[in-house]
Amino acid sequence: MISEATFDLLLAEAIHSRGLSGSDEAELQGFEVGFRLMERASQTRVLVADDHLEAIKFLCKDMWIGIFGKQIDKLQTNHRGVFVLKDYAFRWLTRHSCADEALSRARTQGLLQFSCGLLRGALANLGSQAIVTAELSLAYPACSFNIQIHTLPCNITN
Amino acid sequence: AALRRAARRAPGRATRRRARGFAYSSWSRSSVSRRAAGWPQTRCSTARTATRRNSIRGLRRSRGVGEPRPQCSHRPRSVRGSMASQNAKSLARQGEQIWAKMPKVNGEFFALTYGSLVVQLVEDFDDIGEVNKKLEEMGYSIGTRIIDEFLAKSGVGGCADFAETCEVIAKVAFKMFLGVDVDIANWNDDKTACSLILPENPLNENVELPPGKELLYSNILCGVIRGALEMILLKVDCYYVKDVLRGDETNEIRVCLLEKMQVEMADEYKES
């Protein structure tokens, strides 16, 4: 366990110090972290993720609680591989204060890309290829993540 | 008129003593009430007997503004009364109390984030020395911010000298931010350099370095210490001496005081 302040500062430094806000590197870093986190999680429990919905539900509940201490507030799906995860008080955004929407989007872009990468990495470890985007369309500390899962044909190996 | 004045006056000390009984009259000076009122415990017997002596005589010794507290010659008096009773144990306790109150995140997530950052840096820079330097610079900018967090969350007052500063870093700061108990060792003669010994480093969780690399994996910690101390006007040199990931038994960070900086006006503000 580490105090939240240390982690926030480290994350802010990791994302912003190297001018990553514009490029894809924040997303790649998030991908690696998410992939490894899911690896660790699956060592301690048995994950039966035949269904994409089960995988997403695991993300919403256990992984989000492990990272942020709370669950995703709303999960919507069209049952065709598109999921929308809404968090009404995204912890990393609550520390940012911004009245202007354009400015807030510019500043938090790196952070949101990191989170998208996190989700994408976690899903990749569970066997799903996905495209994840984030939106700040709701009231400020809330954000929503759009996940589109590709169902690629793959060989089932034991 | 004099009679009315006498009646209105509050019962004097002698009256109160008689009313409450003798033992109670020294209530205001007893150790229990002093601790409750926040006074530091004066352990020295000279001070205690002086107080008792005064209360028995019935003297109300109201101290003037600048008069020092009764003290004995053999104990050095530090600048602020509260720091006089702070030693390593009380600092450690303070650190634990603040640690218990801080909101926390998953340690593995923290280690993984840091790990992916280091991996990214190693891929970007060819020279490992550059990576170490970059990690230290990132630590420096984190340190300039973490000192504000530290001063806000902990109730630590001013430190009398560099030795005390290092104690506070080891016992309070490391505990409240990383949850590790850090020891201090290897002071030099001037008391301007010491080693911080970390038995466990949360950044190192599940980390293995490939052999033959000179990478200082947790160099960010050195930068954090340097940055934080520079914000309180202490210029230090901070570097890793021993590292568990490179085969030693513990992690050791050496902190050397270079100078105490003075706050100076920039040239444009000075009157020529």
Side-chain angles (χ1 to χ4, degrees):
Chain A
M1 303 301 269
I2 305 287
S3 69
E4 196 189 338
T6 333
F7 179 75
D8 282 342
L9 285 168
L10 177 68
L11 192 64
E13 200 54 41
I15 291 178
H16 294 297
S17 72
R18 299 167 55 224
L20 294 180
S21 308
S23 67
D24 275 340
E25 291 188 21
E27 222 256 345
L28 285 175
Q29 277 196 9
F31 180 84
E32 289 203 21
V33 177
F35 193 86
R36 294 196 182 135
L37 202 61
M38 190 51 74
E39 187 79 32
R40 293 282 302 167
S42 55
Q43 279 173 0
T44 52
R45 68 195 94 188
V46 177
L47 290 175
V48 182
D50 298 329
D51 191 11
H52 293 304
L53 187 57
E54 289 300 316
I56 299 275
K57 283 212 288 211
F58 178 77
L59 277 189
C60 296
K61 291 204 182 126
D62 294 308
M63 199 173 100
W64 224 247
I65 288 181
I67 300 176
F68 300 109
K70 62 188 276 285
Q71 293 184 25
I72 290 266
D73 294 310
K74 197 165 177 188
L75 170 63
Q76 292 167 322
T77 174
N78 71 354
H79 294 287
R80 298 224 191 115
V82 178
F83 299 88
V84 178
L85 277 63
K86 290 194 180 146
D87 192 345
Y88 291 140
F90 191 46
R91 189 132 78 151
W92 295 340
L93 285 184
T94 53
R95 306 274 181 243
H96 287 253
S97 63
C98 233
D100 184 14
E101 209 199 300
L103 198 58
S104 70
R105 205 177 303 138
R107 291 225 184 106
T108 57
Q109 199 180 4
L111 209 58
L112 290 175
Q113 278 185 353
F114 186 86
S115 322
C116 292
L118 205 62
L119 288 168
R120 193 166 70 89
L123 281 172
N125 202 340
L126 292 174
S128 318
Q129 304 263 349
I131 298 179
V132 185
T133 53
E135 274 169 15
L136 285 177
S137 53
L138 313 169
Y140 194 57
C143 76
S144 67
F145 297 97
N146 266 359
I147 304 182
Q148 274 175 326
I149 298 193
H150 300 307
T151 43
L152 295 173
C154 62
N155 297 326
I156 302 175
T157 54
N158 273 340
Chain B
L3 265 170
R4 249 182 280 133
R5 253 206 319 269
R8 248 186 304 153
R9 204 168 45 201
R13 195 182 166 81
T15 325
R16 287 206 304 275
R17 272 179 65 182
R18 272 197 300 271
R20 279 181 270 160
F22 178 74
Y24 206 59
S25 70
S26 54
W27 171 252
S28 63
R29 300 294 179 96
S30 79
S31 58
V32 175
S33 71
R34 277 162 67 97
R35 217 181 304 136
W39 288 26
Q41 194 77 338
T42 44
R43 292 195 197 90
C44 171
S45 56
T46 319
R48 268 209 303 276
T49 47
T51 323
R52 216 178 293 135
R53 213 184 312 129
N54 288 333
S55 70
I56 288 171
R57 280 197 208 131
L59 290 174
R60 180 185 288 279
R61 266 196 51 135
S62 57
R63 231 174 288 121
V65 172
E67 223 181 34
R69 274 208 288 275
Q71 58 174 336
C72 48
S73 53
H74 66 264
R75 270 180 83 212
R77 185 184 163 77
S78 70
V79 176
R80 301 231 194 134
S82 62
M83 293 302 285
S85 57
Q86 273 193 16
N87 50 15
K89 258 191 244 162
S90 76
L91 282 178
R93 211 178 335 131
Q94 204 178 356
E96 272 178 37
Q97 280 168 0
I98 306 172
W99 167 242
K101 283 190 282 184
M102 298 279 277
K104 299 184 187 65
V105 296
N106 194 351
E108 270 179 21
F109 187 48
F110 180 69
L112 284 173
T113 310
Y114 184 66
S116 75
L117 169 69
V118 175
V119 164
Q120 200 82 23
L121 281 177
V122 168
E123 277 172 23
D124 284 349
F125 294 103
D126 294 319
D127 181 22
I128 295 292
E130 284 287 322
V131 176
N132 290 339
K133 207 159 70 105
K134 183 73 190 174
L135 280 174
E136 219 258 349
E137 277 167 27
M138 289 178 64
Y140 180 82
S141 61
I142 292 181
T144 54
R145 288 175 212 129
I146 216 170
I147 183 74
D148 282 331
E149 185 77 26
F150 174 73
L151 291 171
K153 290 277 166 66
S154 75
V156 176
C159 294
D161 56 5
F162 185 66
E164 222 163 334
T165 313
C166 286
E167 286 272 351
V168 167
I169 293 176
K171 302 291 177 208
V172 185
F174 266 98
K175 183 73 186 174
M176 74 190 250
F177 286 122
L178 292 176
V180 290
D181 298 307
V182 173
D183 297 315
I184 301 194
N186 298 347
W187 279 104
N188 71 349
D189 297 325
D190 285 336
K191 292 270 179 181
T192 55
C194 70
S195 291
L196 299 170
I197 314 240
L198 289 86
E200 55 183 38
N201 188 351
L203 294 170
N204 286 353
E205 221 174 308
N206 302 327
V207 174
E208 249 182 50
L209 285 187
K213 288 242 173 155
E214 287 296 318
L215 179 66
L216 293 167
Y217 186 77
S218 309
N219 213 15
I220 207 169
L221 292 176
C222 300
V224 170
I225 297 175
R226 186 171 73 92
L229 288 177
E230 198 157 313
M231 288 297 116
I232 47 176
L233 305 178
L234 289 172
K235 198 156 173 183
V236 295
D237 190 22
C238 194
Y239 51 91
Y240 246 92
V241 175
K242 286 191 198 162
D243 196 355
V244 169
L245 293 176
R246 295 200 296 186
D248 305 309
E249 311 92 41
T250 56
N251 304 300
E252 191 178 322
I253 299 180
R254 188 113 189 122
V255 182
C256 307
L257 177 65
L258 295 175
E259 58 167 323
K260 288 192 184 160
M261 308 192 294
Q262 298 294 326
V263 180
E264 266 186 15
M265 283 199 295
D267 287 334
E268 59 245 25
Y269 296 109
K270 286 189 187 151
E271 289 176 53
S272 53

